[in-house]
Amino acid sequence: MAVGILALQGAFAEHAAVLDKLGVPHFEIRQKRDLDQPMNGLIIPGGESTVMNKLLRELDLYDTLREQIQNGLPVFGTCAGLILLAKQIDGGIPCFSVMDIRVKRNAYGRQLGSFFTDDRFGGSKRIPMTFIRAPYIESVGNNVEVLSIVDSNIVAAQQDNMLVTAFHPELDMDLTVHQHFIRMVEQFRLKNAG
């Protein structure tokens, strides 16, 4: 099993460190040839969504990754990654446009910038949540499962093979969200092996 981490910009190294803790093989995606190796899952980290969108197209990664996601490749987007996967962006132009969610960018305002809280994820235990100039999900389609709500705002959701969080689980010691994603990856791998 190997998880690809989009490493064009943003917090990709922090995701790699979490996968190391979990003992999950991974590699960085920086150019088209990186997509030649087998990949069972994809992480799109936080960062600047507009910069990442531009680089995805300039480096000819966009079409291949979008097709793989549409074909069921498990993908986990945090913060900017959430924005890149959304079908609708309040005041913005969608990138991959694959997940049936409407997103508000920089929803908590530039002045507040970031904050820390803890809340439930997927109806299970409470986990730490670090928000950095974060978006939130304004609305979801019928096939989208809401996994976390903070202050009446949706901050984590899943639709089929797509998992998104407005917060940065890679910056906290709790492994719950990444473990959830790895279970998705394992299910996908087993399904394709059979």
Side-chain angles (χ1 to χ4, degrees):
M1 177 170 76
V3 172
I5 304 173
L6 191 65
L8 304 180
Q9 190 261 343
F12 55 89
E14 290 81 354
H15 280 287
V18 175
L19 294 183
D20 285 340
K21 284 182 191 171
L22 293 170
V24 175
H26 56 86
F27 62 93
E28 293 181 353
I29 300 169
R30 294 177 181 274
Q31 50 197 329
K32 185 81 179 269
R33 70 170 181 238
D34 295 329
L35 298 178
D36 293 341
Q37 52 197 309
M39 178 168 60
N40 306 106
L42 170 66
I43 293 177
I44 305 176
E48 292 289 337
S49 59
T50 48
V51 172
M52 291 165 77
N53 189 352
K54 184 171 179 274
L55 290 171
L56 280 163
R57 294 166 197 278
E58 285 178 2
L59 297 168
D60 195 24
L61 295 167
Y62 175 83
D63 289 330
T64 303
L65 288 176
R66 186 172 193 270
E67 184 179 336
Q68 288 179 330
I69 294 166
Q70 286 181 314
N71 289 336
L73 178 73
V75 60
F76 173 26
T78 58
C79 200
L82 176 155
I83 294 168
L84 292 177
L85 292 169
K87 280 191 177 176
Q88 295 180 293
I89 301 165
D90 199 20
I93 299 166
C95 177
F96 288 118
S97 191
V98 288
M99 190 167 181
D100 195 7
I101 55 176
R102 181 178 182 85
V103 175
K104 184 171 177 64
R105 295 175 61 193
N106 295 326
Y108 295 97
R110 294 181 186 275
Q111 289 180 327
L112 182 58
S114 61
F115 66 95
F116 175 85
T117 188
D118 66 85
D119 217 305
R120 295 199 179 281
F121 175 79
S124 62
K125 66 176 186 173
R126 295 179 79 86
I127 63 167
M129 297 178 178
T130 298
F131 293 82
I132 302 173
R133 284 180 55 205
Y136 62 68
I137 300 169
E138 291 185 302
S139 61
V140 300
N142 293 333
N143 297 326
V144 180
E145 179 187 3
V146 173
L147 298 175
S148 293
I149 296 175
V150 172
D151 297 332
S152 302
N153 298 318
I154 302 168
V155 297
Q158 181 176 342
Q159 179 182 356
D160 302 322
N161 58 310
M162 298 170 282
L163 172 68
V164 292
T165 61
F167 55 94
H168 290 266
E170 75 280 9
L171 299 181
D172 297 307
M173 298 299 288
D174 190 281
L175 302 175
T176 303
V177 181
H178 284 82
Q179 288 168 331
H180 180 91
F181 176 62
I182 296 308
R183 283 193 294 275
M184 292 168 58
V185 172
E186 286 169 345
Q187 287 168 1
F188 174 75
R189 194 167 63 102
L190 288 171
K191 188 172 98 176
N192 283 354

